[in-house]
Amino acid sequence: MKLTGVELRRVAMPLVSPFRTSFGTQTARDILLLRVVTDESVGWAECSALADPRYSSEYVDGAQDVIARFFVPALAAAGDLDAYAVGRSLAPFRGHWMAKAALETAVLDAQLRRDGQSFGQFLGAARERVPCGVSVGIMDSVPLLLEAVDRYLADGYLRIKLKIEPGWDLEPVAAVRDRFGDIELQVDANAAYSVSDARHLAKLDPFDLLLIEQPLDEDDLLGHAELARHVRTPICLDESITSARTAEAAIRLGACSIINVKPARVGGYLEARRIHDLCVANGVPVWCGGMLESGLGRAANIALAALPGFTLTGDTSASDRYYAADLTTPFVLEDGHIAVPTGPGLGVDPIPEVLDEVTTSLQTVALR
Ligand code: NPQ
Ligand code: MG
């Protein structure tokens, strides 16, 4: 394939309810969409970078800039294009995993649509549907949290993840266990603790959580290894895992016993599959995280989550968990599961009228 055009579009997507984490409260997503045109087909992708660099160092304006300024010209100069060539062309540029992931995903979508192959087929999906969990934000009170969890369980979600931070941890976890009994329950701290909180975090042990996700800073692998010696709850890393290489280091150091794979955070679906393979080889359970994607990003995540090593339930929620009107035909929960798309590429398309309505800007990128 040869690259003939790239369109960068920003869409404003209001959330059905505010989503609060240890790094802030969001009421809407400002999402960057990519439309890549080649001489043979068209591909779509969504860039997961958030508006502010608080989850990781990336942010959406920065992602758009680095894509337009450096990545697209490098791809245009590279000649014959496929998803693997994207990684090779962008390797000289440091970091910017979410920006790289978006471009690689759009090219992969174009390639697979041309070939009539779905993301699931390409990645090696082993299932037709995936079990779904839900991530529940920090709430203003325990009763409001219980109300939210009750609703998600009634919807059919098979696993609940509670966002925690200092001051919102033992009490909400105890309340959810007390009220809902033996459900699959885990927590995510988004790096809100330090290693000196080890004795406090060990107080979560009696609640039999599936895991505690990213308690410490992104770069603190040794701290996580130290913490693992003081808590019984398995430690899962999210922000720290930026590549198959950091995943291998984290496993060898004993910094985690479970890994959350977010394709955006690791530079794309090809690297995500390598991490999956590494985890399978090491007997480390993996699961697919989420970044409050629209249907475009969600489609590919669900395909990835269908790989055989994804043995834990992911944050692959239905469209209506986050959005009243999705950009694509909405993903719906059936019996706690979402069906893996089967059409070529992502298997879903943006709905033109919805897309028009939510678009806030459109940039046509110069190829050189
Ligand atoms: C996580 N995701 O696992 C992330 C964090 C995240 C589903 O918990 C807006 C506001 C977008 C908060 C994207 C989940 C976000 C956000 C991702 C938090 O750490
Ligand atoms: Mg997380």
Side-chain angles (χ1 to χ4, degrees):
M1 296 190 298
K2 186 144 181 47
L3 190 65
T4 59
V6 177
E7 241 178 48
L8 302 178
R9 178 189 299 258
R10 293 280 280 276
V11 297
M13 301 277 290
L15 297 170
V16 291
S17 55
F19 190 57
R20 179 170 159 204
T21 67
S22 57
F23 59 83
T25 305
Q26 307 289 319
T27 55
R29 287 279 273 119
D30 173 358
I31 300 178
L32 171 63
L33 299 180
L34 281 67
R35 182 172 173 269
V36 162
V37 184
T38 75
D39 54 344
E40 300 183 76
S41 57
V42 169
W44 285 91
E46 164 170 355
C47 179
S48 294
L50 304 183
D52 306 307
R54 293 178 191 272
Y55 162 79
S56 69
S57 64
E58 294 189 75
Y59 62 103
V60 66
D61 283 339
Q64 182 160 351
D65 186 69
V66 79
I67 288 170
R69 190 185 299 271
F70 299 107
F71 294 175
V72 170
L75 275 198
D80 194 37
L81 194 60
D82 69 7
Y84 295 94
V86 176
R88 287 195 298 274
S89 305
L90 303 185
F93 302 105
R94 308 295 180 193
H96 296 284
W97 313 115
M98 292 183 182
K100 288 177 179 175
L103 205 45
E104 183 188 273
T105 304
V107 171
L108 180 56
D109 185 40
Q111 172 186 335
L112 296 178
R113 284 181 199 258
R114 176 200 64 188
D115 297 344
Q117 192 180 34
S118 71
F119 261 67
Q121 287 169 327
F122 172 82
L123 293 171
R127 294 173 282 198
E128 290 174 359
R129 55 179 213 157
V130 297
C132 297
V134 61
S135 175
V136 186
I138 293 165
M139 301 281 173
D140 289 338
S141 72
V142 167
L144 287 172
L145 173 69
L146 295 177
E147 211 175 281
V149 171
D150 192 42
R151 181 162 34 88
Y152 293 130
L153 290 173
D155 288 344
Y157 285 105
L158 299 170
R159 184 227 68 193
I160 300 290
K161 164 167 131 180
L162 304 181
K163 291 290 191 180
I164 60 168
E165 66 181 0
W168 180 263
D169 44 28
L170 303 177
E171 195 195 349
V173 168
V176 168
R177 260 290 175 252
D178 185 52
R179 166 83 177 270
F180 301 106
D182 192 23
I183 59 169
E184 289 197 8
L185 186 63
Q186 64 194 51
V187 293
D188 185 0
N190 289 111
Y193 295 88
S194 67
V195 79
S196 62
D197 294 316
R199 280 154 59 91
H200 178 72
L201 291 173
K203 293 179 188 159
L204 288 169
D205 286 345
F207 298 110
D208 282 315
L209 301 176
L210 289 167
L211 57 89
I212 175 168
E213 181 176 341
Q214 198 69 41
L216 313 179
D217 281 342
E218 176 182 325
D219 66 358
D220 198 4
L221 291 185
L222 291 177
H224 282 101
E226 171 69 18
L227 180 64
R229 289 189 275 276
H230 294 94
V231 302
R232 248 191 326 110
T233 308
I235 292 176
C236 170
L237 290 178
D238 172 359
E239 287 90 324
S240 294
I241 307 299
T242 53
S243 64
R245 195 179 280 150
T246 53
E248 187 169 13
I251 293 167
R252 282 218 220 151
L253 286 169
C256 66
S257 53
I258 298 175
I259 285 179
N260 167 340
V261 177
K262 282 183 188 157
R265 201 194 56 229
V266 303
Y269 288 86
L270 300 177
E271 189 73 1
R273 185 170 59 181
R274 287 180 203 114
I275 295 175
H276 163 273
D277 296 349
L278 173 86
C279 288
V280 170
N282 285 276
V284 171
V286 282
W287 54 282
C288 183
M291 293 292 291
L292 282 56
E293 288 87 354
S294 78
L296 287 171
R298 199 163 297 279
N301 284 350
I302 288 164
L304 180 75
L307 267 60
F310 283 80
T311 52
L312 295 177
T313 302
D315 283 342
T316 50
S317 303
S319 297
D320 69 0
R321 155 67 183 96
Y322 295 114
Y323 302 109
D326 206 339
L327 294 178
T328 64
T329 303
F331 285 92
V332 294
L333 213 56
E334 277 173 63
D335 199 14
H337 292 68
I338 291 181
V340 179
T342 55
L346 295 172
V348 292
D349 294 291
I351 301 165
E353 302 78 55
V354 179
L355 196 59
D356 278 352
E357 206 173 291
V358 297
T359 296
T360 54
S361 71
L362 191 57
Q363 178 186 7
T364 304
V365 184
L367 294 189
R368 37 171 287 156

